[in-house]
Amino acid sequence: MPAYEITIEKDACDGIFACLTRDPRFVEAADGLATVDPDADPVYDCEGDVTDTAERVVATFDDDRIDEAKQAAAACPTDAIIVEEVGE
């Protein structure tokens, strides 16, 4: 199964949170912007690596939920979220 990476560009995110309704791993961060928290999903036990810097949030997963992440990215009206396969 290919790994995929979710990137949230913080300067493009405006806190509308349309992503939260498409993928429960997306949550509101303390700064009022979206972030990714693998432990936030109440149904699936997720494992992922998340790096949160001043510019962006980058999360890497190797599960079969890329479609949910892509739906969250598509719902973002400011195009702040990028989802791409990064290998196996």
Side-chain angles (χ1 to χ4, degrees):
M1 172 174 341
Y4 60 97
E5 191 171 83
I6 301 168
T7 303
I8 303 171
E9 295 294 341
K10 290 185 177 183
D11 60 344
C13 179
D14 62 3
I16 292 174
F17 304 121
C19 55
L20 276 64
T21 63
R22 301 331 192 269
D23 186 333
R25 296 172 292 182
F26 287 82
V27 296
E28 183 177 355
D31 61 6
L33 302 176
T35 191
V36 179
D37 181 357
D39 296 326
D41 191 327
V43 177
Y44 296 98
D45 184 20
C46 298
E47 291 185 18
D49 294 320
V50 180
T51 303
D52 190 338
T53 67
E55 294 84 27
R56 68 189 51 85
V57 176
V58 179
T60 305
F61 294 93
D62 63 355
D63 55 31
D64 61 355
R65 299 178 64 199
I66 190 170
D67 287 339
E68 288 176 57
K70 286 181 177 181
Q71 288 174 13
C76 180
T78 61
D79 295 325
I81 303 168
I82 301 163
V83 179
E84 56 191 354
E85 290 186 17
V86 292
E88 300 208 25

